[in-house]
Structure formats: structure tokens, C-alpha cells
Amino acid sequence: QVQMVESGGGTVQVGGSLRLNCTASSGPRSSIGMGWFRQTPGTQREFVAGISWAGDFIEYADSVKGRFTISVDRRKYVNSLQMNSLKPEDTALYFCAMAFGGGRWTNPQQWNYWGQGTQVTVSS
């Protein structure tokens, strides 16, 4: 079993920055990498960013490209999501996850382990 814990959430003003962190208890050999989803009340869980363990494959949602940057430390089973130029529409509960499936990363079913979430609120 893999335990995952997010941290770094909080409240910032429009245009501000936050850095989210995620620590996993282990990194199974069958896993592909780590990433982030976000969800607001009444909406489906949305893919935000993902990165392979080697860092040679990175994917971002169109809505965050150029503003968010994901990184990973394979040896420590840790990844970070640097969020800049935050907008009100970035407000959501952000979930860290670990990928195992070979399908599209935008599909939550490709991610087998999840954290409990950290809240990000962008005030206007």
C-alpha cells in the first residue's frame, strides 16, 4: 500500500504563487510517475499535471501551461507543483496521485493511489 500526503495549500490573492508538495511512502517499480488533479464542488476531477519518474515525460492541462511547473525526486518519492500567476479559477481541492496505467493521464482511472487533498483558494 502507498500512502500519499499533500501540503502547501492556502489562500492567496490573484497573481500570487503557491508551491504544493506531495510525499509518497514508496514508489513501486510498476508505477509510472506522479501528478496532480483538482476538483471543485459540482465538477468532475480535472487533470492538472503529471511527470514520469525519470522526468522525461511531462504533461500539463492547457489551462495551466506556462503558469504551473511540476518536478519529481524519484529517490525520495516526492513531487512538487509550483503554481504562479494564480487565477480565481484555480481555486480547488488539489489531489496528489501516483500513476500505474498506460492510458491517457487525463483519465483518473490511470492513477491508483491518491492523497486526501490540499485546498487552494485564490481570492479576488
Side-chain angles (χ1 to χ4, degrees), residues 42-116:
T43 68
Q44 298 184 88
R45 191 167 296 185
E46 175 191 25
F47 173 77
V48 177
I51 185 169
S52 63
W53 289 121
D56 57 346
F57 178 80
I58 302 175
E59 184 174 358
Y60 296 99
D62 289 341
S63 59
V64 306
K65 287 181 179 178
R67 299 188 298 118
F68 291 12
T69 302
I70 190 170
S71 59
V72 66
D73 185 335
R74 177 66 178 89
R75 292 183 177 275
K76 298 181 179 180
Y77 318 125
V78 172
N79 88 84
S80 296
L81 183 69
Q82 178 66 45
M83 305 185 296
N84 299 324
S85 302
L86 285 164
K87 305 174 181 179
E89 52 263 44
D90 293 318
T91 295
L93 186 64
Y94 284 71
F95 296 91
C96 180
M98 185 175 294
F100 284 79
R104 297 178 63 85
W105 280 14
T106 53
N107 185 351
Q109 294 182 342
Q110 306 303 314
W111 306 77
N112 286 19
Y113 295 98
W114 299 82
Q116 294 182 325

